[in-house]
Amino acid sequence: MDDPHDDPVSAWLLRAATRPGEALASWRGGQPAILRTGIVFDALLVSRGIGVCLIEALGESASGPVVFSNLAATAAFLLPAGTFVRGGELPLVGRCAGAGGSVRIPSPLGRGRMEVRWAVRPAAPDHLHSPERLWSAYPAALDIALAGLPPGEADEAREAVLHQVGLLTFH
């Protein structure tokens, strides 16, 4: 399949586009499209470093889509629409993008520039991360991320981040 228009994952993602024709043109031109969150997916945007650690901590269950933005140094984990009761910023965790938000999404066929790319491509329409599995992977991801810090500092940082993860309000 060479055309995103013929791909079921692309058609599913295009439901989140304000202007589907422009999104398709962006993907065909190798550019990411800006898609609205809260329609077919919500997104948890974290630092790229934590994103890599979360993917590692999830292991085999890291099957939901993840987008890396090299320009913003972020990873966006796509979750079911309606996951977040409200969007917002948690300084130590990341940004929750639900209804009314948006994220840059590369072509589902993997073509495009490297500034925004799939770390984990969508396997099928509606095949997203489980919020519970993602949150439960956070402690292991933090252990990976904080491995080089002295024990006292690592414990403090881990406690602060896990406290904020606990503040996430989702359905």
Side-chain angles (χ1 to χ4, degrees):
M1 238 175 284
D2 291 334
D3 190 342
H5 193 266
D6 298 330
D7 173 52
V9 171
S10 300
W12 167 70
L13 286 170
L14 284 171
R15 292 186 7 225
T18 303
R19 295 187 175 95
E22 287 179 19
L24 266 175
S26 292
W27 287 342
R28 287 182 181 134
Q31 298 294 322
I34 297 173
L35 300 183
R36 298 172 294 165
T37 52
I39 296 170
V40 297
F41 60 82
D42 284 356
L44 176 66
L45 288 91
V46 298
S47 73
R48 185 181 167 118
I50 288 294
V52 168
C53 295
L54 273 168
I55 291 170
E56 185 177 333
L58 286 164
E60 294 289 320
S61 65
S63 60
V66 181
V67 175
F68 279 168
S69 172
N70 291 332
L71 296 174
T74 59
F77 288 77
L78 304 189
L79 300 147
T83 294
F84 297 113
V85 174
R86 65 178 194 280
E89 193 86 28
L90 294 171
L92 300 175
V93 176
R95 184 170 64 90
C96 307
S102 64
V103 291
R104 291 168 31 108
I105 300 291
S107 167
L109 301 179
R111 284 185 254 126
R113 300 190 177 159
M114 294 305 290
E115 71 254 14
V116 178
R117 66 175 182 82
W118 292 106
V120 180
R121 280 195 197 142
D126 294 317
H127 187 86
L128 299 163
H129 285 283
S130 155
E132 294 79 13
R133 200 172 303 144
L134 190 61
W135 307 155
S136 67
Y138 242 95
L142 288 173
D143 289 343
I144 295 165
L146 301 173
L149 289 178
E153 287 179 41
D155 291 341
E156 277 183 41
R158 188 175 195 276
E159 187 177 315
V161 171
L162 290 177
H163 172 74
Q164 284 196 358
V165 168
L167 296 177
L168 286 172
T169 309
F170 62 95
H171 293 289

